Amino acid sequence: MVTRLFMLALIPLLVTAGSTASEVQTKAYLTETGANVVSVIDTVTATVLGTIPVGAGPSRVVMTRDGSRAYVTNGASDSISVIDTATDMVVATISVGDGPSSLAVTPDGHALYVMTTAGVIEVVDTAQQVVTARIPVGSEGDISITPDGGRVYVAAGLVYIIDTATNKVIKSFAAETASSPDVSNNASSVAISPDGTRAYVGMYTFNTTNGGFSAGGSVVLVDTATESVTGAINLFSLPGSLAVTPDGSRLYVGIQSTFFNTGYGMGFLPGGHAYVIDTITNRIAATIDLGALNTPAGIGVTADRGAVYIAVPTLNEVAVVDVNTNVVTAHIPLTAGPSDLAVVPDTTVARVPYAIDAVDDSGTVTAVGATAVANVLANDRLGGIAVTRAHVTLTQQSSTSDGVTLNPATGAVSVAAGTPEGTQTLVYRICETASPTNCDDASVTVTVLAPYVIDAVNDSAMTLPGRTVLASVLANDTLGGTPATLGRVTLALASSTSTGITLDLATGAVFVAVGTTPGLQTLTYRICEIASPTNCDEADVSITVNPFPIDAVNDSGAALWTGGTAVANVLANDTFVGAAATLAKVSLSQVASTNAGISLNAATGAVTVAAGTPVGSHTLTYRICEIATPSNCDEATVTVTALAQPIAAVADFATGSSKVASTILASVLTNDRLGGAPATLANVKLSFVSLSPANNKIALDLRDGSVDVLGRTASGTYVLAYEICELALPTNCARTSVRIDLSGK
């Protein structure tokens, strides 16, 4: 994703990107922005030959392919100075748009493509010295043209591709391998490989993920055939100028700044180095140190590939770097503000060979046979950088024993079983693939020893699951009478009686996983000598796995026989490994119950009493088992009392006349209760018990519970006793009385 606004806001932090791929023979042209001149440098003597006055604020310079002209952008004069390299004089000045900042010239020298501050590329006819076309791209950036002259690549936030035949943008895309909504990837510089197959795009990245901020950069690889991004080389810093060697074998990247966040503050620190990119492996191969805060500007490579020239504005000099050591070997002092440089190309000059260095190796193995050296190329160098099979060919030249051989495909030196003990020597040769006569030889000294005695010793331990039972099985093992370490032996698992018993091959630790079946388990391991892989021994680790403590504790509870919960959760007082037993750790099941109405809900742990369960004491047995180890269980008993509903017959008082018949109490049940609710003839049976003194004119109507005076009778006080019994449980009864006063008239 490209965020132009963000990019423009931070551009003042960066030094303007330098020249693209440049080649040099005996002269280099360097802009000095602070002095309004172009300095001419003799690359043979590394001295300044003279200066050429140009317009105000010169910044960028490019050379024609034939080396006859140098073109210079004058940012403060809105012009291009044309320098004749034969006379080192300005022979023309071409007016262009405001603030020209970068430019490129076509291979035939007929056209200049000039970037202005308005984000418009102006096409200049070099013969007529006039602007013939204007191509808007939106923001300032860097320009490079393919060797065939067919395409112009522009790094200006996005990557723009211009067709030189029509001078129109035919494609644009973000300089990224993948997009992210919180990541801004902005193209800032560009160079084309000498064969035209690849564009290298300097790209810096701003990341605001989760509201934070960080910055970095990469070199994005663009395939010019498909005109698409094929990869990226992370620089972990913000790139500036780019330069490719004449043969395309290396890319030099000036680092403008590096973002730091210490936790106490953050910011951009000026770069003080350039990276050497190996274009064969597309990796950073070396770093050129220019000194702290000495940020590089323009970069150029001599045509013979022997030196790299880097403008360093803070030092007012050009640093000369040896391509074989990547070290600054000379300093060329300048006047003020060196910015960009270009070198006179020469395709006929012989290239300086890369220094090739095959470095001697050594290794020690036993006569059992093994690999003495994993890769002889590991310490070899080509032009100061590490070599791979992509850089060189590899051949064996000689060996003092047929048992000591080189594998050209891997670089490994192997010793066959039975090779005579003593010192053996193998000689190998590496030759630069691109220059087959550039070769070097090295020797590999191999010491062949008698086989070591290897002894893997049995171990034993006791543990609970979920723990490391042994820190390392190697602790008591030996090789040649000394400790067997992972630097000397390989470690492998031979077998285990449980999948829960595992061996960490990186440390030798034995781990017992949760869920491992309790009891005696055995793990068998093997150690083999690294130097002699067939020299091995095995040992057993005997492990007694104890189960986790699990405790189901008895419970008791009660509920009405009409239905209810007697115990909310039987797990409430149960424990597993000393902590609360939960359904996340244990499974729960009912084992038995003395009555079908008493049951366990395995999903909640509740014990319930079903409606109709006989009143009285009942027993339920349940089991809890470790989920990870189902055989680790315990049982407990829940004693449940099924209770009858509380029934209450409440005494009443009634008054009436003894002279006439009447109902003196509407219902004796009015204040009676069953289970906390009104007792009615729908839930209780009403029975007459007694009347004292006896009187046949006073009656309890069992149909509605009323107390009636049936006719004239003797006045006085009477006590009528009655009983109510639960219809559903006839044995659940209560008695009381009604005091009757018939003294009224």
Side-chain angles (χ1 to χ4, degrees), residues 443-532:
S443 297
V444 182
T445 301
V446 180
T447 302
V448 183
L449 304 175
Y452 286 128
V453 175
I454 190 166
D455 187 14
V457 181
N458 293 339
D459 299 280
S460 62
M462 180 181 295
T463 186
L464 289 170
R467 289 163 171 75
T468 297
V469 66
L470 283 179
S472 177
V473 295
L474 298 178
N476 54 352
D477 297 347
T478 58
L479 176 66
T482 59
T485 65
L486 287 170
R488 306 176 66 204
V489 300
T490 59
L491 180 62
L493 174 67
S495 64
S496 178
T497 57
S498 172
T499 56
I501 309 291
T502 56
L503 174 65
D504 187 338
L505 302 182
T507 65
V510 176
F511 182 74
V512 179
V514 172
T516 302
T517 303
L520 181 62
Q521 305 288 353
T522 302
L523 178 144
T524 302
Y525 69 93
R526 178 184 302 112
I527 58 173
C528 296
E529 183 184 355
I530 292 175
S532 301

Side-chain angles (χ1 to χ4, degrees), residues 3-14 186 204 206 268:
T3 304
R4 294 247 180 97
L5 182 60
F6 201 13
M7 177 186 74
L8 291 174
L10 291 176
I11 276 181
L13 296 174
L14 308 178
N186 304 277
Y204 50 88
F206 299 110
F268 292 88

Side-chain angles (χ1 to χ4, degrees), residues 149-538:
R151 295 287 188 269
V152 178
Y153 277 76
V154 182
L158 295 173
V159 177
Y160 298 89
I161 302 177
I162 298 171
D163 183 350
T164 58
T166 62
N167 283 328
K168 294 184 181 300
V169 175
I170 59 172
K171 190 172 185 178
S172 64
F173 51 88
E176 58 192 14
T177 55
S179 62
S180 170
D182 297 318
V183 177
S184 166
N185 293 312
N186 304 277
S188 58
S189 53
V190 60
I192 307 293
S193 63
D195 62 5
T197 61
R198 179 179 287 176
Y200 298 99
V201 179
M203 179 268 288
Y204 50 88
T205 299
F206 299 110
N207 191 328
T208 57
T209 302
N210 298 323
F213 179 80
S214 62
S218 305
V219 170
V220 174
L221 310 177
V222 178
D223 184 331
T224 57
T226 62
E227 297 179 342
S228 61
V229 174
T230 59
I233 304 166
N234 196 346
L235 303 174
F236 308 99
S237 49
L238 281 65
S241 54
L242 308 175
V244 188
T245 56
D247 63 343
S249 61
R250 296 183 186 179
L251 171 70
Y252 295 89
V253 184
I255 299 304
Q256 297 302 293
S257 60
T258 301
F259 179 78
F260 285 92
N261 186 348
T262 64
Y264 298 98
M266 63 178 72
F268 292 88
L269 294 181
H273 60 284
Y275 282 133
V276 183
I277 304 294
D278 178 2
T279 61
I280 294 176
T281 61
N282 291 325
R283 295 179 180 177
I284 296 174
T287 300
I288 299 171
D289 185 6
L290 300 173
L293 308 182
N294 294 329
T295 304
I299 303 178
V301 184
T302 58
D304 64 1
R305 198 182 62 179
V308 180
Y309 282 69
I310 303 176
V312 186
T314 54
L315 299 177
N316 287 324
E317 69 175 29
V318 170
V320 182
V321 180
D322 187 311
V323 295
N324 281 312
T325 63
N326 298 306
V327 173
V328 175
T329 58
H331 302 267
I332 305 174
L334 299 165
T335 304
S339 179
D340 191 26
L341 62 85
V343 293
V344 177
D346 185 351
T347 57
T348 63
V349 67
R351 293 174 189 153
V352 172
Y354 283 134
I356 190 166
D357 186 15
V359 181
D360 292 345
D361 299 280
S362 63
T364 300
V365 298
T366 67
V368 174
T371 299
V373 177
N375 185 359
V376 294
L377 298 179
N379 55 349
D380 295 349
R381 295 292 182 266
L382 178 66
I385 68 174
V387 301
T388 68
R389 286 301 318 283
H391 300 90
V392 298
T393 58
L394 176 63
T395 55
Q396 177 178 322
Q397 299 301 298
S398 64
S399 178
T400 57
S401 171
D402 291 341
V404 180
T405 57
L406 171 71
N407 184 337
T410 65
V413 174
S414 300
V415 176
T419 299
E421 297 174 19
T423 300
Q424 306 290 349
T425 303
L426 178 144
V427 177
Y428 71 92
R429 175 173 296 161
I430 57 173
C431 296
E432 184 181 357
T433 302
S435 181
T437 59
N438 187 23
C439 302
D440 193 32
D441 290 356
S443 297
V444 182
T445 301
V446 180
T447 302
V448 183
L449 304 175
Y452 286 128
V453 175
I454 190 166
D455 187 14
V457 181
N458 293 339
D459 299 280
S460 62
M462 180 181 295
T463 186
L464 289 170
R467 289 163 171 75
T468 297
V469 66
L470 283 179
S472 177
V473 295
L474 298 178
N476 54 352
D477 297 347
T478 58
L479 176 66
T482 59
T485 65
L486 287 170
R488 306 176 66 204
V489 300
T490 59
L491 180 62
L493 174 67
S495 64
S496 178
T497 57
S498 172
T499 56
I501 309 291
T502 56
L503 174 65
D504 187 338
L505 302 182
T507 65
V510 176
F511 182 74
V512 179
V514 172
T516 302
T517 303
L520 181 62
Q521 305 288 353
T522 302
L523 178 144
T524 302
Y525 69 93
R526 178 184 302 112
I527 58 173
C528 296
E529 183 184 355
I530 292 175
S532 301
T534 59
N535 187 23
C536 302
D537 193 27
E538 292 187 355

Side-chain angles (χ1 to χ4, degrees), residues 112-131:
L112 282 175
Y113 286 78
V114 182
M115 174 66 76
T116 66
T117 56
V120 175
I121 296 174
E122 296 188 345
V123 184
V124 177
D125 183 320
T126 57
Q128 300 297 321
Q129 298 182 356
V130 294
V131 175

